[in-house]
């Protein structure tokens, strides 16, 4: 994608000629003329960062390491599960980045030496970098819910990682009969896409209602006592699907402690054992394995970063963005990852050009659909205050609003999806 | 009087770094507003003049103009940031 307008390009060029001055200075320092930048992960954060770095640093040697040519995007996964859209509509991948002159290596990184900034790939190839940006997303914690692991999870699909579980869960949903009980579990914070489990329950209710399976029941089993946009979701459930969605908070023992995937049973913290027709268990999460291998996570399982540049506080020259990093109060969303990616690209470009660091301003808006024509949103602007990432202002859709507003926000949600995927993947 | 002068100086000092904020801020706009010629249901600012964008953002900030996502964001924007965004995206004057 070309930068949005001509003036922008002119500004960019002006910036580059200014940056041309320090080029001479580089020659004196032990910095390469073609800085080697490696981005690990070609999802929302990584693809946006590679693209932005390419615009800002035309001379840099940019390599993207991502094993998946295609994946289902997190955003709109719930819509696809409820057949609001087709599975094919939510398939994206990093291929278009190659045309920009970004080298894409279709492999997973297996090890990272964060001091030498040396990456080892699955094939054994070793890559050295001047800067590494990691946006590898999340991994599931299989040690938290008894009986749940990578294998048994296939029978209680989370569909949280854009893989084949999405198709499996959609098929399971389509084969539900009237009177079925469905359990969706939500983990404790922090995790990828805070409104995700609640949007899933909503759109599932929509799909079942559309199929006239009115006696179905959806249980939201929660490890928390509150969740994002809760009042908006609850008003929506009462209005659209009265009696169909039941939220069981942590205080009522809703946390899932154990599952028997073969028997479709779940043991809750309140001692009850539930047998359901379908369970989608979203496990507790942490930063992806490569972040652990690179010694970038702290005891929380996530990667601490300097909020002005998203550079790891554990290892210099390594930046971590997206779901893997600690960016509270920003939620772990595709929008956050995209916004962080652009800030990091600006910060890296400024470092190599010897220019001033960018002022961090980050944006997020998370839309959720309760029905194809019923959308709600939460969003905010973030900056660094006293060295901490802070909310400068935020807000959400009004509680009492006409259906027209919900319909408008649903239309915005659909459009947001098209825009962010184009902005990120091309 | 003295107090006022200090205040004015403080404002000036504060204003200086925010003029660069447009970089990371403006790059996020495309996530919803897309590229220049793409058709959109999300209200577009492309084709608006610098003055029109500036007054729209100011109105979102003050509450004079209603909206969904924009008032939340505009409420945290400084005058400098609003001006920088308006300059960045405002249609060139012919
Ligand atoms: C059901 C659901 C609904 C959602 N809805 C929304 C929404 O409406 N709005 C929103 O903003 N966000 C939404 N999200 C969240 C969004 O998907 C994530 O926040 C976003 O994908 C984070 O970007 P990322 O770059 O951190 O991770 P990802 O986009 O997951 O990208 C990580 C990439 O890294 C790759 N990778 C991992 N390890 C390695 C390795 N060792 N070597 C090389 N590559 C590696 C992976 O293959 C993956 O492609 C939703 C998520 C889900 C699950």
């Amino acid at each position: 994608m070309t930068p949005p307008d001509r003036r922008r390009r002119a500004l960019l060029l002006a910036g580059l000629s200014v940056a041309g001055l320090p080029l001479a200075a580089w020659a004196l320092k032990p910095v390469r003329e073609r800085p080697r930048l490696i981005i690990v992960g070609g999802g929302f954060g990584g693809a946006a960062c590679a693209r932005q770095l390419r615009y800002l640093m035309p001379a840099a040697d940019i390599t993207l390491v991502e094993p998946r040519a295609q994946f289902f995007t997190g955003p709109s996964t719930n819509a696809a599960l409820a057949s609001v859209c087709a599975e094919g509509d939510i398939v994206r991948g990093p291929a278009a980045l190659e045309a920009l002159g970004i080298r894409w290596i279709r492999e997973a990184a297996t090890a990272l030496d964060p001091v030498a900034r040396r990456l080892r790939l699955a094939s054994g190839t070793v890559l050295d970098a001047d800067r590494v940006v990691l946006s590898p997303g999340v991994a599931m914690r299989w040690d938290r819910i008894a009986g749940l692991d990578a294998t048994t999870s296939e029978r209680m699909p989370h569909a949280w990682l854009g893989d084949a579980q999405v198709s499996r869960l959609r098929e399971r949903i389509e084969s539900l009969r009237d009177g079925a009980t469905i359990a969706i579990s939500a983990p404790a914070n922090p995790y990828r896409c805070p409104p995700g489990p609640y949007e899933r329950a909503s759109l599932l209710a929509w799909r079942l209602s559309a199929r006239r399976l009115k006696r179905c029941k959806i249980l939201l089993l929660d490890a928390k006592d509150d969740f994002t946009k809760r009042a908006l979701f609850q008003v929506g459930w009462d209005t659209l699907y009265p009696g169909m969605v039941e939220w069981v908070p942590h205080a009522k023992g809703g946390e899932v402690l154990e599952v028997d995937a073969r028997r479709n049973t779940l043991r809750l913290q309140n001692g009850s054992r539930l047998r359901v027709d379908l369970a989608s268990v979203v496990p507790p999460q942490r930063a992806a394995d490569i972040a652990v291998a690179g010694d970038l996570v702290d005891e929380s399982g996530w990667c601490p970063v300097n909020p002005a540049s998203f550079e790891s506080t554990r290892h210099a020259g390594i930046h971590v963005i997206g779901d893997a990093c600690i960016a509270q109060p920003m939620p772990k969303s595709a929008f956050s990852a995209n916004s962080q990616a652009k800030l990091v690209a600006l910060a890296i470009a400024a470092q190599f050009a010897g220019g001033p660091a960018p002022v961090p301003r980050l944006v997020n808006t998370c839309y959720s659909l309760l029905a194809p024509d019923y959308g709600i949103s939460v969003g905010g602007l973030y900056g660094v205050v006293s060295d901490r990432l802070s909310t400068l202002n935020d807000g959400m859709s009004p509680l009492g609003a006409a259906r027209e507003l919900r319909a408008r926000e649903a239309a915005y949600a659909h459009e947001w999806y098209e825009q962010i995927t184009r902005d990120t993947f091309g | 009087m003295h107090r006022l002068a200090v205040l004015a100086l403080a404002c000036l000092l504060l204003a200086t770094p925010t003029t660069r904020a447009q970089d990371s801020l403006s790059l996020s706009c495309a996530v919803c507003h897309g590229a220049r010629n793409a058709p959109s249901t999300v209200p577009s600012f492309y084709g608006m003049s610098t003055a029109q964008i500036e007054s729209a953002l100011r109105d979102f900030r003050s509450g004079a103009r209603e909206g969904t996502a924009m008032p939340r964001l505009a409420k945290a924007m400084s005058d400098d940031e609003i001006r920088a965004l308006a300059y960045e995206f405002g249609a060139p004057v012919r």
Side-chain angles (χ1 to χ4, degrees):
Chain A
M1 196 178 83
T2 46
D5 70 23
R6 283 175 106 194
R7 181 186 293 173
R8 171 157 200 98
R9 224 166 305 156
L11 280 175
L12 257 171
L13 286 175
L16 290 174
S17 55
V18 171
L21 283 173
L23 252 181
W26 281 9
L28 304 173
K29 288 188 212 152
V31 174
R32 302 173 172 263
E33 276 183 42
R34 293 197 70 196
R36 297 158 309 172
L37 312 175
I38 298 183
I39 297 110
V40 180
F44 278 91
C49 193
R51 180 178 293 272
Q52 196 63 45
L53 281 167
R54 175 42 83 225
Y55 296 151
L56 296 168
M57 300 176 71
D61 180 349
I62 304 178
T63 301
L64 176 71
V65 179
E66 165 63 64
R68 304 198 289 182
Q70 293 195 314
F71 40 79
F72 295 117
T73 57
S76 287
T77 283
N78 289 328
L81 290 175
S83 305
V84 174
C85 64
E87 277 180 22
D89 295 341
I90 64 159
V91 175
R92 295 293 187 278
L97 293 169
E98 283 182 311
L100 301 176
I102 293 164
R103 183 161 67 122
W104 169 29
I105 301 183
R106 298 161 200 220
E107 279 186 55
T110 51
L112 168 64
D113 177 336
V115 178
R117 288 174 210 149
R118 173 166 290 182
L119 201 67
R120 183 177 292 277
L121 308 186
S123 61
T125 307
V126 169
L127 300 172
D128 288 311
D130 298 306
R131 287 281 184 290
V132 180
V133 179
L134 245 70
S135 192
V138 300
M140 299 309 179
R141 287 186 193 254
W142 297 122
D143 56 340
R144 297 298 167 95
I145 297 178
L148 191 70
D149 58 30
T151 309
T152 55
S153 165
E154 296 293 314
R155 289 170 179 267
M156 295 185 159
H158 49 71
W160 221 249
L161 299 174
D163 58 16
Q165 282 203 2
V166 174
S167 309
R168 183 157 312 128
L169 183 54
R170 199 187 68 84
E171 284 158 18
R172 294 274 305 271
I173 289 169
E174 284 308 292
S175 66
L176 288 170
R177 305 245 176 95
D178 202 10
T181 303
I182 302 103
I184 298 171
S185 81
N189 292 320
Y191 62 98
R192 160 175 288 182
C193 192
Y198 314 95
E199 180 186 59
R200 179 168 295 177
S202 310
L203 288 179
L204 190 53
W206 175 80
R207 180 65 186 152
L208 297 173
S209 303
R211 288 178 55 207
R212 308 207 180 289
L213 308 182
K214 303 263 181 187
R215 290 186 301 112
C216 289
K217 178 100 192 166
I218 300 165
L219 297 171
L220 261 167
L221 307 174
D222 212 328
K224 305 179 291 300
D225 283 323
D226 199 4
F227 58 90
T228 173
K229 298 180 273 197
R230 178 160 67 86
L232 284 162
F233 273 110
Q234 289 176 323
V235 165
W237 295 334
D238 287 346
T239 313
L240 301 169
Y241 320 110
M244 202 166 188
V245 180
E246 185 187 337
W247 177 55
V248 189
H250 181 263
K252 291 198 173 154
E255 183 174 2
V256 176
L257 297 185
E258 186 179 355
V259 299
D260 183 338
R262 209 163 272 283
R263 294 198 173 82
N264 262 336
T265 59
L266 308 109
R267 184 169 65 82
L268 305 188
Q269 197 214 355
N270 61 19
S272 64
R273 234 172 243 281
L274 291 176
R275 194 190 181 102
V276 298
D277 297 285
L278 170 62
S280 172
V281 177
V282 181
Q285 295 156 31
R286 59 165 169 81
D289 290 347
I290 189 67
V292 179
D295 185 37
L296 297 162
V297 303
D298 67 13
E299 63 289 346
S300 71
W302 305 99
C303 305
V305 293
N306 170 345
S309 61
F310 284 72
E311 188 167 357
S312 167
T313 56
R314 297 169 70 87
H315 294 285
I318 316 261
H319 301 253
V320 188
I321 57 174
D323 291 350
C325 74
I326 300 175
Q328 272 113 325
M330 293 187 89
K332 295 189 186 301
S333 73
F335 201 141
S336 297
N338 177 290
S339 192
Q340 292 158 8
K342 290 167 176 173
L343 174 64
V344 164
L346 288 166
I348 291 175
Q351 282 171 12
F352 280 96
V359 173
R361 285 288 181 275
L362 295 154
V363 179
N364 178 60
T365 294
C366 282
Y367 288 101
S368 298
L369 291 177
L370 280 73
D373 62 351
Y374 191 116
I376 57 176
S377 66
V378 60
L381 189 70
Y382 306 85
V384 177
V385 180
S386 313
D387 294 332
R388 294 180 78 102
L389 192 61
S390 307
T391 304
L392 302 180
N393 191 62
D394 64 359
M396 59 179 90
S397 312
L399 245 191
R403 275 304 285 272
E404 185 277 327
L405 183 77
R406 307 291 189 222
R408 190 144 45 96
E409 289 218 271
Y412 291 172
H414 292 298
E415 180 147 327
W416 170 84
Y417 179 79
E418 295 305 323
Q419 301 290 21
I420 192 172
T421 52
R422 207 175 303 140
D423 185 70
T424 305
F425 302 110
Chain B
M1 261 310 151
H2 186 69
R3 269 257 234 32
L4 260 181
V6 171
L7 200 76
L9 187 69
C11 286
L12 249 170
L13 288 175
L14 281 175
T16 319
T18 51
T19 49
R20 280 186 276 113
Q22 56 135 351
D23 291 313
S24 63
L25 182 57
S26 66
L27 288 175
S28 286
C29 301
V31 173
C32 297
H33 292 285
R36 177 162 273 282
N37 292 317
S40 74
T41 43
V42 172
S44 174
F45 48 67
Y46 296 109
M48 283 166 74
S49 71
T50 298
Q52 284 172 319
I53 294 178
E54 185 174 337
S55 80
L57 286 171
R58 282 182 192 283
D59 289 348
F60 280 134
R61 184 173 68 178
S62 71
R65 178 169 172 176
E66 286 190 12
T68 53
M70 280 317 296
R72 297 166 201 158
L73 306 178
K75 282 203 170 72
M77 290 178 194
S78 67
D79 284 343
D80 273 8
E81 284 171 332
I82 286 180
R83 251 182 261 124
L85 287 175
Y87 176 76
E88 169 87 0
F89 293 109
V93 190
R94 265 173 290 219

